[in-house]
Amino acid sequence: MKLMLIAVGTKMPDWVTTAYEEYARRFPRDLPLDLIEIPAGKRGKNADIKRILETEGEKMLAAVPKGARIITLEVEGANWSSPQLAQKLTQWQMDGRDVCLLVGGPEGLAPACIAASEGKWSLSALTMPHPMVRVVLAESLYRAWSISTNHPYHRE
Ligand SMILES: C[S@@+](CC[C@H](N)C(=O)[O-])C[C@H]1O[C@@H](n2cnc3c(N)ncnc32)[C@H](O)[C@@H]1O
């Protein structure tokens, strides 16, 4: 099984890329965390935000492999503790389907992505900038993996 982070936004600041890769590179071979960046639509003065969101959503869903489980990152989703996330990760691994984690852009996720979601995950009740979400998500999943494998990274 693989984890795929499908996120709106390219050209992240260096600190985001460095921090994200610091965690992403730690995942084991049998559970890689792959990143697919979806270019954000141009948000000019008279931009049609609804259309931009729809286009971003279409591109995100097109990047999801057939049969994969879609988890959307949403402020109003469910809060999972690290041990709960570790349980979810173990269940997902047993189930064998790839897991796609969808992170929206400045206006959030397209309705089509939310409709396709099999689980809504909130990292916090606070709204975070989408570059920050990548970093917190990668660390949280890495910690969950470390709990599920008794790796010493996670200490109570
Ligand atoms: C800047 S936020 C979008 C804010 C937008 N006003 C909204 O309500 O969705 C960009 C993306 O980051 C993710 N995000 C931001 N904060 C989050 C949180 N606390 N938990 C989970 N995902 C979050 C969501 O996927 C969101 O679509």
Side-chain angles (χ1 to χ4, degrees), residues 73-75 103-109 121-124 126-128 130 133:
L73 274 286
E74 298 183 41
V75 176
V103 176
E107 287 85 22
L109 284 161
W121 177 18
S122 173
L123 300 173
S124 152
L126 301 172
T127 300
M128 300 183 205
H130 59 282
V133 171

Side-chain angles (χ1 to χ4, degrees), residues 9-148:
T10 54
K11 299 187 192 122
M12 291 292 117
D14 286 350
W15 67 267
V16 173
T17 306
T18 303
Y20 172 79
E21 284 177 359
E22 172 60 34
Y23 296 108
R25 69 177 178 78
R26 299 185 190 195
F27 282 74
R29 272 174 193 230
D30 63 349
L31 187 67
L33 174 63
D34 293 345
L35 172 64
I36 296 174
E37 294 183 313
I38 304 295
K42 278 212 173 116
R43 287 159 165 84
K45 203 170 150 206
N46 297 317
D48 181 346
I49 295 295
K50 189 167 172 271
R51 183 68 202 124
I52 288 174
L53 259 184
E54 276 172 12
T55 305
E56 288 172 354
E58 282 161 15
K59 289 181 182 168
M60 293 178 104
L61 292 175
V64 173
K66 201 164 184 278
R69 179 190 301 277
I70 295 177
I71 302 292
T72 43
L73 274 286
E74 298 183 41
V75 176
E76 280 151 11
N79 287 122
W80 298 326
S81 66
S82 295
Q84 285 171 334
L85 182 60
Q87 276 184 1
K88 295 238 170 242
L89 190 58
T90 303
Q91 283 165 8
W92 294 340
Q93 282 179 289
M94 286 193 307
D95 173 67
R97 294 158 69 199
D98 291 336
V99 174
C100 294
L101 301 135
L102 272 46
V103 176
E107 287 85 22
L109 284 161
C113 293
I114 290 171
S117 175
E118 290 184 46
K120 298 165 193 290
W121 177 18
S122 173
L123 300 173
S124 152
L126 301 172
T127 300
M128 300 183 205
H130 59 282
M132 184 90 78
V133 171
R134 294 182 184 199
V135 178
V136 177
L137 177 146
E139 195 280 338
S140 303
L141 286 170
Y142 178 67
R143 182 178 296 278
W145 170 81
S146 78
I147 292 170
S148 69

